Amino acid sequence: MKRLFKLWRGDSTGGDFKEYETDVTEGMVVLDAIHKIQAEQANDLAVRWNCKAGKCGSCSVEINGVPKLACMTRMNEFQEDQTITVNPMKTFPVIRDLVTDVSWNYEQNKKIKPLKPRPRDADGEYRMMQEDVDRVQEFRKCIECYLCQDTCHVLRDQQQKDKFVGPRFMIRLASLEMHPLDTEDRIPEIRDEYGSGMCNITKCCTVVCPEHIQITDNGIIPLKERVVDRYYDPVLWLWRKITGNKN
Amino acid sequence: MDIKEIKSIEHDVLVIGAGGAGLRAAIECSAQGMDTALICKSLLGKAHTVMAEGGMAAALRNVDKRDHWKIHFRDTMRGGKFMNAYRMAELHAKQAPDRVRELEEWGAVFDRTKDGLINQRNFGGHRYPRLAHVGDRTGLELIRTLQDHGIHQGFKTYMEYSVLDLLKDGEKIAGCVAMVRDTGQFVIFKAKAVIFATGGAGKAWKVTSNSWEYTGDGYAMAYEAGAELMDIEFTQFHPTGMVWPPSVAGILVTEGVRGEGGILKNSNGKRFMFDNIPERFAPETADTEEEGNNWLKGVDGARRPPELLTRDVVARAIMKEVKEGRGTPHGGAFLDIASRQGADYIKRKLPSMYHQFKVLAELDITTDPMEVGPTLHYFMGGIRVDPDSQMSKVPGLFACGECSAGMHGANRLGGNSLSDLIVFGRLAGIGASEYSKNLSNAPTIDNGQAEKIIRNATDILNRERGENPYLMHDELKDNMQMQVGIVRTEEELLAGIDKIEEIKKKFANVKAEGASQYNPGWHQALSMRNLLITSEAVAKAANLRKESRGGHTRLDYEGERDEWLNVNVVISKAGDGEMRVEKVKRKDPDPELKRIAQSKIEDLEKEIGLES
């Protein structure tokens, strides 16, 4: 069946939506349709993709205004006469067509102090119980598609990239802070440099996460609580002063 | 074009490819004090390693104390039909446990046993539960751990760069020419050593689990630079890829489904794997459904069900069912986990499979069986390397991971790939660092070579008109699928080779529309050369090897033949530019390793019991 697409074409200097019509068959996802248009009508149409199974997080775009993975968005989610509009992620600078420059995210990751593991047990092993790693494993499902970064209004509308690392890296920080082996302290920079206070928990990031990570509830809010405990709870402050215990 | 205006960058070692092997190699080079660059076609962390699901094999002995490197080694050799480089299989089995523990120290969070240790699961061809895993997303855990650790080790990463060809100074490696995909600009990299971690070439086939990156770049560039390709006819068709809907055909369904108890049935509801147990594996495989079920329950002495036989065996059995009219509606076999495990268990142990089928096929795997069929998944063969240093025939050119040959022989066991990446990634890093340190004179760049590489690339854009690279790729994929598929005959292979020649002629006149900035049509055209060289190598090697072994099945030469066990098929570029394909006698293995590989399992287990 013929379907109408409006794909954004252009580069950092500007661009516009162009219309394409292509045949769509059963089971196709939006990325399939884009590839078909690319092969048959627009050989130089730029789109980033890799695994085509929702595991690598490369094909993040905005489909009819919603941040989504093109490879996991089925054509039958839309009405048969509905036009499919695809544009690049708005939070990041466009390179060309549907491809954006996401290098800012890689810079944020590099700033975060890596895992500092405690010593191994006497027999050379690390012991961690499954129930203690469950919550960290949830965060480690992240495929770095940056759809959460794209939808976060602090980054998207306010462009406050110098004040907030965004939901992706709050999750990365949570996965380190809650890692049973970790002995590092990142609470001061979570408050200051990474801007945990910037998030006002509208949960837009959680809604778009293709891995269904409870970004706000399980990641950001507990980090905010740790910051509050550290800086604003006098009893705990005194306790830490006496014991030297970071938590 | 003025070559002096092309940007030039110098490092000690270049690692090409940033999957598990490339990342591990770069980490090692940095640890050895090398000024290192990691160059990759995609964004960091997106390489095909993220697609690995089931786990990484290592005899950690956390779940079954009877495991040992010797048993892992024996399983690997038998799975590889004894074509493996013995020394590589030995290094792998011995070093994998330390590499897995090292990942844990770098932040990987594996699923745990009741005692809090790294949990291990069953997998095809592995005698004991051996695969360290994280649900069914182990590859993501591996790549993210190496990435997050690696970015603090001091190597420089060049993302979305395509390496076009190697540069040499006499016989030795001197660097490479790359193209920046964002801008279309060229860069000359100067280096003492290059490590290829470029993966396979699944994109030459129509039905494959591989992404666009798998275009045989390493094979073709190494071949052009004078290295040898070995055993490249051994291509692994993973038995369980998705078969429906058509747009996702080939996408992988983890062997973990069978490891967790999943069974294969034909359209008559029969568990056909019981009729497909090869003699070699019969003593260690269950022969009734009851025994298979007992094994799943952990009953002592019960043998493993035949669904967990090696991948080549299962892929051929599914093919046979489909061919003989017992396939599923969309031409595969039913893979059923729903009737074997509870819904909660399935969602916990196989979450991404649950998600993948739910979204892409609108199927709930906790209530309905999946439809699966073979998909081109992995190259056992590749660049021929020294088993200890990972250096190819070209001084300064190293290879590790899927793009190198030897470790897996004629068929790779599931779970042995992720462990291969970290074991041989590290060894290649050591090898390249040693080589660089011992090099008396830094190589110099020959601008003429660089100019030629750049001109070949820009010609594709500048030509007035020519062939569409996408259609050319479709033609090649159809050809490889039809003529160089799971089962092969001389007639089909020769027809396939003729067709490749035809496409090569078209390639000489390939044309990409548009400008050089992030132009997928141009990228596709550039990768066609590599796909064509690799396809020709596979087809010609497959035609020479007149037997059936592991991932190479010849209808006209059935069964393994002893005279072929003693030879590798080696491919190199002859002086006249033609592809040379020859039989090369294998080195005699170390007698002790040979003894272990051929031991009866009972004898070997007794011997290990006495040792410990």
Side-chain angles (χ1 to χ4, degrees):
Chain A
M1 189 204 302
K2 285 252 186 266
R3 297 293 297 266
L4 187 64
F5 287 81
K6 281 186 183 170
L7 308 180
W8 195 88
R9 302 292 314 261
D11 57 27
S12 57
T13 61
D16 209 347
F17 287 97
K18 272 185 100 169
E19 288 192 4
Y20 299 92
E21 213 180 37
T22 195
D23 265 327
V24 167
T25 52
E26 198 185 359
M28 266 169 90
V29 294
V30 170
L31 183 63
D32 294 323
I34 293 172
H35 278 154
K36 201 154 179 287
I37 291 165
Q38 185 188 55
E40 293 169 357
Q41 304 173 46
N43 277 192
D44 62 342
L45 167 65
V47 57
R48 208 183 250 132
W49 67 284
N50 270 62
C51 76
K52 240 183 136 287
K55 293 189 171 66
C56 77
S58 299
C59 60
S60 306
V61 288
E62 298 182 4
I63 302 172
N64 289 357
V66 184
K68 288 188 127 193
L69 295 177
C71 76
M72 296 299 269
T73 306
R74 285 175 66 104
M75 286 300 300
N76 65 6
E77 287 176 29
F78 306 98
Q79 302 295 325
E80 288 192 357
D81 56 354
Q82 204 176 346
T83 302
I84 315 291
T85 306
V86 187
N87 59 271
M89 289 194 283
K90 282 201 177 131
T91 297
F92 305 108
V94 170
I95 293 174
R96 236 193 83 190
D97 302 340
L98 303 176
V99 177
T100 54
D101 177 0
V102 293
S103 56
W104 177 79
N105 294 291
Y106 287 87
E107 290 158 22
Q108 305 316 303
N109 196 25
K110 208 165 176 172
K111 287 198 281 196
I112 294 172
K113 285 185 208 150
L115 185 85
K116 190 170 155 193
R118 61 167 157 81
R120 291 177 178 277
D121 298 346
D123 61 356
E125 299 289 352
Y126 282 126
R127 282 175 181 75
M128 297 181 261
M129 290 301 137
Q130 186 61 47
E131 53 270 29
D132 296 326
V133 302
D134 276 342
R135 59 180 182 170
V136 176
Q137 285 189 331
E138 182 195 359
F139 305 144
R140 293 184 67 85
K141 290 195 310 196
C142 171
I143 57 175
E144 295 202 323
C145 62
Y146 307 127
L147 289 174
C148 58
Q149 307 285 78
D150 185 43
T151 204
C152 172
H153 58 91
V154 180
L155 304 177
R156 183 188 179 96
D157 303 324
Q158 302 160 16
Q159 285 287 327
Q160 302 207 66
K161 291 193 182 122
D162 51 338
K163 296 201 179 74
F164 185 44
V165 287
R168 158 59 192 142
F169 297 103
M170 294 307 281
I171 282 297
R172 165 87 181 123
L173 286 158
S175 78
L176 287 162
E177 285 294 301
M178 299 179 197
H179 196 301
L181 299 184
D182 187 53
T183 60
E184 186 62 86
D185 177 14
R186 302 173 191 81
I187 295 298
E189 53 262 44
I190 286 174
R191 183 183 76 157
D192 303 330
E193 200 183 337
Y194 306 143
S196 58
M198 297 297 290
C199 165
N200 53 11
I201 50 179
T202 53
K203 302 194 184 185
C204 312
C205 51
T206 305
V207 173
V208 298
C209 177
E211 286 293 314
H212 308 297
I213 300 169
Q214 295 300 309
I215 301 175
T216 320
D217 289 352
N218 294 352
I220 299 179
I221 291 174
L223 285 185
K224 280 175 173 276
E225 285 168 354
R226 288 183 183 208
V227 169
V228 169
D229 285 351
R230 171 74 58 92
Y231 291 99
Y232 308 106
D233 184 328
V235 179
L236 274 173
W237 178 83
L238 194 64
W239 170 253
R240 274 191 306 268
K241 210 65 177 166
I242 298 162
T243 61
N245 191 332
K246 83 166 185 178
N247 292 319
Chain B
M1 171 192 64
D2 184 358
I3 194 79
K4 291 188 193 75
E5 284 172 14
I6 303 284
K7 190 175 173 187
S8 175
I9 300 173
E10 187 169 345
H11 290 281
D12 291 329
V13 183
L14 309 176
V15 181
I16 322 277
L23 272 161
R24 187 63 188 83
I27 289 169
E28 195 58 31
C29 290
S30 290
Q32 302 281 333
M34 295 292 108
D35 172 3
T36 308
L38 180 64
I39 307 174
C40 51
K41 287 208 285 191
S42 280
L43 296 172
L44 189 60
K46 309 297 185 195
H48 213 267
T49 303
V50 300
M51 289 293 283
E53 291 157 354
M56 58 191 96
L60 292 162
R61 307 169 68 239
N62 289 350
V63 173
D64 198 316
K65 283 284 168 215
R66 290 171 295 180
D67 207 2
H68 192 275
W69 78 263
K70 287 182 182 174
I71 312 252
H72 190 184
F73 167 79
R74 177 183 179 273
D75 289 344
T76 301
M77 293 301 301
R78 287 160 55 86
K81 322 295 163 195
F82 299 95
M83 277 305 293
N84 323 53
Y86 281 73
R87 173 66 175 154
M88 288 175 90
E90 177 200 12
L91 287 168
H92 171 257
K94 282 182 172 168
Q95 297 183 6
D98 280 347
R99 296 286 78 73
V100 174
R101 289 192 195 99
E102 177 180 80
L103 286 178
E104 193 172 40
E105 199 168 305
W106 294 347
V109 184
F110 294 103
D111 287 353
R112 318 306 298 178
T113 65
K114 284 197 184 76
D115 303 326
L117 299 172
I118 295 171
N119 199 0
Q120 297 179 274
R121 70 157 47 117
N122 279 301
F123 234 56
H126 293 280
R127 172 120 181 121
Y128 296 116
R130 189 177 282 147
L131 270 65
H133 62 276
V134 187
D136 56 0
R137 55 164 191 86
T138 316
L140 174 67
E141 189 71 15
L142 172 74
I143 200 163
R144 197 67 79 236
T145 301
L146 292 174
Q147 176 188 343
D148 288 339
H149 178 75
I151 55 175
H152 299 286
Q153 305 311 306
F155 58 79
K156 180 145 174 58
T157 305
Y158 299 88
M159 296 197 289
E160 299 196 310
Y161 280 51
S162 287
V163 175
L164 301 179
D165 249 323
L166 292 165
L167 296 169
K168 284 170 75 181
D169 177 359
E171 288 304 300
K172 295 193 188 83
I173 285 295
C176 69
V177 177
M179 183 264 286
V180 187
R181 297 169 77 88
D182 284 6
T183 62
Q185 285 166 337
F186 297 96
V187 179
I188 295 173
F189 282 97
K190 188 178 166 188
K192 294 170 186 162
V194 170
I195 299 174
F196 273 166
T198 49
K203 271 295 162 196
W205 281 264
K206 198 170 174 179
V207 180
T208 175
S209 64
N210 290 185
S211 82
W212 65 267
E213 293 197 276
Y214 287 71
T215 51
D217 301 0
Y219 305 137
M221 288 191 275
Y223 169 84
E224 287 292 331
E228 293 168 325
L229 306 178
M230 185 176 92
D231 294 344
I232 201 144
E233 67 277 22
F234 296 121
T235 49
Q236 179 167 80
F237 290 85
H238 193 293
T240 59
M242 292 177 79
V243 294
W244 192 91
S247 59
V248 297
I251 288 179
L252 194 64
V253 180
T254 176
E255 191 167 322
V257 175
R258 283 169 286 142
E260 298 295 348
I263 54 174
L264 289 164
K265 290 184 195 165
N266 64 20
S267 57
N268 301 332
K270 184 169 186 217
R271 274 180 80 175
F272 56 87
M273 283 311 299
F274 283 102
D275 303 332
N276 288 281
I277 304 170
E279 209 177 314
R280 177 182 287 154
F281 293 99
E284 295 164 32
T285 308
D287 49 18
T288 63
E289 291 196 25
E290 193 191 352
E291 187 180 5
N293 293 343
N294 282 339
W295 174 86
L296 186 62
K297 287 182 215 144
V299 174
D300 235 13
R303 293 170 298 177
R304 53 202 303 114
E307 277 86 1
L308 287 173
L309 284 162
T310 55
R311 289 176 174 179
D312 51 329
V313 175
V314 182
R316 278 195 302 270
I318 294 175
M319 278 276 291
K320 195 174 103 190
E321 292 303 308
V322 175
K323 226 173 184 170
E324 293 174 8
R326 296 182 296 274
T328 61
H330 299 102
F334 288 116
L335 174 59
D336 168 30
I337 183 84
S339 72
R340 311 280 294 168
Q341 300 282 6
D344 286 344
Y345 183 85
I346 295 169
K347 285 186 201 167
R348 189 159 53 81
K349 291 308 254 185
L350 304 162
S352 78
M353 283 304 103
Y354 174 74
H355 185 56
Q356 181 176 314
F357 274 90
K358 196 91 189 164
V359 175
L360 296 176
E362 293 179 325
L363 182 113
D364 183 348
I365 68 167
T366 68
T367 55
D368 293 300
M370 297 160 253
E371 281 184 68
V372 295
T375 177
L376 193 285
H377 183 52
Y378 189 86
F379 270 53
M380 270 69 71
I383 301 164
R384 191 184 196 195
V385 293
D386 175 79
D388 287 276
S389 71
Q390 318 310 311
M391 190 160 87
S392 72
K393 197 183 165 190
V394 177
L397 178 61
F398 296 75
C400 56
E402 185 176 356
C403 75
S404 71
M407 162 64 206
H408 305 289
N411 173 61
R412 174 174 69 79
L413 294 184
N416 269 1
S417 179
L418 291 186
S419 43
D420 165 358
L421 305 182
I422 45 180
V423 168
F424 292 103
R426 173 176 166 272
L427 292 176
I430 294 171
S433 301
E434 290 296 315
Y435 170 88
S436 302
K437 286 176 197 165
N438 292 330
L439 206 59
S440 45
N441 296 315
T444 53
I445 298 287
D446 171 0
N447 281 341
Q449 289 177 31
E451 259 175 76
K452 199 175 151 206
I453 294 165
I454 293 169
R455 204 174 322 110
N456 282 342
T458 49
D459 279 353
I460 296 172
L461 285 171
N462 294 339
R463 174 153 318 125
E464 288 256 318
R465 65 181 73 79
E467 303 278 345
N468 177 331
Y470 294 97
L471 301 182
M472 194 182 295
H473 186 206
D474 284 345
E475 219 176 325
L476 178 68
K477 289 192 287 190
D478 284 339
N479 180 54
M480 294 303 281
Q481 193 74 29
M482 298 302 295
Q483 317 287 22
V484 196
I486 304 186
V487 288
R488 300 160 177 175
T489 63
E490 180 163 304
E491 197 188 338
E492 288 175 350
L493 289 167
L494 291 176
I497 292 165
D498 285 346
K499 185 75 187 176
I500 292 167
E501 283 303 320
E502 215 178 281
I503 304 172
K504 270 162 78 179
K505 289 201 183 84
K506 283 190 189 171
F507 173 71
N509 191 34
V510 65
K511 159 75 183 163
E513 302 289 342
S516 64
Q517 179 202 27
Y518 215 115
N519 180 345
W522 188 33
H523 303 166
Q524 180 65 53
L526 288 168
S527 66
M528 277 309 295
R529 182 205 65 166
N530 302 334
L531 281 167
L532 283 164
I533 290 173
T534 308
S535 299
E536 183 182 351
V538 175
K540 287 186 170 168
N543 189 41
L544 184 66
R545 182 171 286 276
K546 294 186 172 40
E547 67 161 347
S548 297
R549 186 183 293 274
H552 171 65
T553 304
R554 287 286 299 257
L555 272 185
D556 42 358
Y557 298 95
E558 285 181 353
E560 293 174 16
R561 310 201 174 191
D562 284 346
E563 69 268 26
W564 281 98
L565 177 60
N566 301 319
V567 289
N568 293 119
V569 175
V570 173
I571 285 177
S572 58
K573 191 172 182 177
D576 59 2
E578 288 297 301
M579 188 175 277
R580 180 164 44 208
V581 187
E582 52 196 340
K583 293 195 248 180
V584 174
K585 196 176 173 308
R586 294 173 71 192
K587 269 207 307 205
D588 287 331
D590 175 274
E592 173 62 4
L593 291 178
K594 192 170 172 182
R595 182 191 67 80
I596 297 168
Q598 296 186 340
S599 294
K600 271 202 195 148
I601 189 69
E602 296 79 14
D603 296 344
L604 195 58
E605 284 176 344
K606 201 191 284 172
E607 168 186 325
I608 291 161
L610 292 174
E611 274 175 26
S612 54

